[in-house]
Amino acid sequence: MLLVTNSTQVRFYFILMGIPGFEVFHTWISIPFCCLYAVSITGNTTILAVIRAEPSLREPMYLFLSMLALTDLGLTLTTLPTVMGIFWFSASEISFEACFAQFFFLHGFSFMESSVLLAMSFDRYVAICHPLHYVSILTNRVVSRIGIAIICRCVVAVLPPLFLLKRLPFCGSNHLSHSYCLHQDMIRLVCADTTINNWYGFVLALLIITLDPLLIVFSYALILRSVLRVGSQVERLRALNNCLSHILAVLVLFVPMVGLSMTHRFAKHAPPIVHVIMANIYVLAPPVMNPIIYSVKTKQIRRRIFLLFSHRPL
């Protein structure tokens, strides 16, 4: 864990890992990763540009979508330097402070994505179950307050485990098993009692990883009950189709999140590549897939993107 630079200065650092067992192929492996990062950055930037340029897309649904795109951009830019640094330059060392900074932003943006999807489920519930009151309930001020609440919630959720982990001593191996600093990975290197950390992680898992999906499922149960009361089958399908993009985004986030948590908790002795693959899916799937999902399934976004790239006036 210590690298002695001279007689008076000592630097703490961690060693990040690329794809274990495939180090000689890192240059080739970097090509699909580079493409995925490019898709994420281009796709989310395009959605933000389209929403910003088109006044008709200033509705709450699209404001929440812009929050999701910003979160995905943040998640992408948080992991890109270390991942591509390992693949291109074999730069596997990361300082103690930089690792904790990446820890904060990585988990913060991940929790923020969950919170934004929860807010989007509330938006769909109001739009379908209370359409006449939609504009009066979800005003710009309310949407702004929801956005601020999401940021505060994520900061409050991430800071305690960061400080709890930072106060503990690290000893022995300084090798992490991923290309970025994850809490589940870093806590394995601690040589002290981690009971408080484990309990806080358990409570955090209940409040975010468990509670958010349950609230989303509850909102869709209310939506389904409302939709089934509609007489026309065409109207039912239209209402459900409006929710399809959001449902897919929820699955893209929570399935890898639960899979990664289960892998770290119950498959500790699995081959290292299993943990690496699960972590990369968890980090890359939402930022890459969300802009594709909303571009394909949302007619207004798809049409504006087509006009934008065809250089025709919007």
Side-chain angles (χ1 to χ4, degrees), residues 144-155:
S144 299
R145 289 178 177 176
I146 291 175
I148 294 172
I150 288 172
I151 294 173
C152 294
R153 181 195 192 212
C154 296
V155 171

Side-chain angles (χ1 to χ4, degrees), residues 9 53 55 77 85 93 98 102 133 142 146 154 182 219 224 230 248 253 260 275 291 299 313:
Q9 184 179 12
L77 296 176
E93 290 186 8
Q102 189 179 52
H133 303 285
V142 170
I146 291 175
C154 296
L182 285 172
S219 69
L224 186 60
V230 177
L248 293 175
L253 173 66
L260 180 64
H275 294 271
K299 181 180 178 181

Side-chain angles (χ1 to χ4, degrees), residues 34 56-57 85 98 118 122-123 130 137 162 170 196 204 216 218 227 231 236 243 255 279 311:
C34 186
S56 66
L57 298 181
L118 177 59
F122 175 69
D123 168 78
H130 304 283
I137 294 176
L162 187 150
F170 290 85
I196 297 177
L204 197 63
I216 291 172
F218 178 69
V227 168
R236 293 178 186 175
C243 300
V255 171
H311 303 288

Side-chain angles (χ1 to χ4, degrees), residues 45-275:
T45 304
T46 301
I47 286 181
L48 287 171
V50 167
I51 294 175
R52 179 182 175 86
E54 179 52 47
S56 66
L57 298 181
R58 304 292 170 82
E59 299 176 3
M61 171 185 173
Y62 300 106
L63 294 178
F64 286 126
L65 179 57
S66 65
M67 293 181 195
L68 186 66
L70 280 171
T71 302
D72 284 335
L73 271 178
L75 192 59
T76 298
L77 296 176
T78 297
T79 60
L80 187 150
T82 53
V83 172
M84 300 313 298
I86 291 173
F87 288 148
W88 284 347
F89 310 111
S90 299
S92 57
E93 290 186 8
I94 183 171
S95 68
F96 189 80
E97 293 77 12
C99 194
F100 275 92
Q102 189 179 52
F103 164 101
F104 173 78
F105 286 108
L106 178 56
H107 288 284
F109 281 121
S110 177
F111 293 156
M112 195 175 296
E113 182 135 358
S114 173
S115 301
V116 172
L117 289 174
L118 177 59
M120 294 175 80
S121 71
F122 175 69
D123 168 78
R124 293 297 83 204
Y125 163 74
V126 176
I128 294 174
C129 299
H130 304 283
L132 298 179
H133 303 285
Y134 181 73
V135 176
S136 61
I137 294 176
L138 286 173
T139 62
N140 288 339
R141 176 177 293 184
V142 170
V143 173
S144 299
R145 289 178 177 176
I146 291 175
I148 294 172
I150 288 172
I151 294 173
C152 294
R153 181 195 192 212
C154 296
V155 171
V156 170
V158 175
L159 281 181
L162 187 150
F163 287 119
L164 285 172
L165 184 61
K166 197 171 183 179
R167 70 182 175 85
L168 296 174
F170 290 85
C171 58
S173 174
N174 62 339
H175 286 74
L176 298 174
S177 58
H178 301 298
S179 305
Y180 28 78
C181 300
L182 285 172
H183 177 266
Q184 304 96 313
D185 200 17
M186 296 170 67
I187 201 169
R188 295 186 304 104
L189 306 182
V190 172
C191 52
D193 183 24
T194 59
T195 302
I196 297 177
N197 303 65
N198 293 334
W199 274 108
Y200 186 87
F202 176 73
V203 173
L204 197 63
L206 286 179
L207 292 179
I208 293 182
I209 300 177
T210 304
L211 182 61
D212 283 6
L214 287 177
L215 291 175
I216 291 172
V217 170
F218 178 69
S219 69
Y220 273 105
L222 296 177
I223 290 172
L224 186 60
R225 187 183 67 174
S226 178
V227 168
L228 291 177
R229 292 176 179 176
V230 177
S232 171
Q233 186 174 1
V234 174
E235 292 180 1
R236 293 178 186 175
L237 293 175
R238 184 184 297 116
L240 293 175
N241 188 60
N242 288 335
C243 300
L244 184 58
S245 299
H246 180 255
I247 293 172
L248 293 175
V250 169
L251 292 176
V252 165
L253 173 66
F254 285 108
V255 171
M257 182 184 289
V258 172
L260 180 64
S261 298
M262 291 295 185
T263 301
H264 274 282
R265 186 169 295 274
F266 301 111
K268 296 179 180 179
H269 302 292
I273 194 169
V274 173
H275 294 271

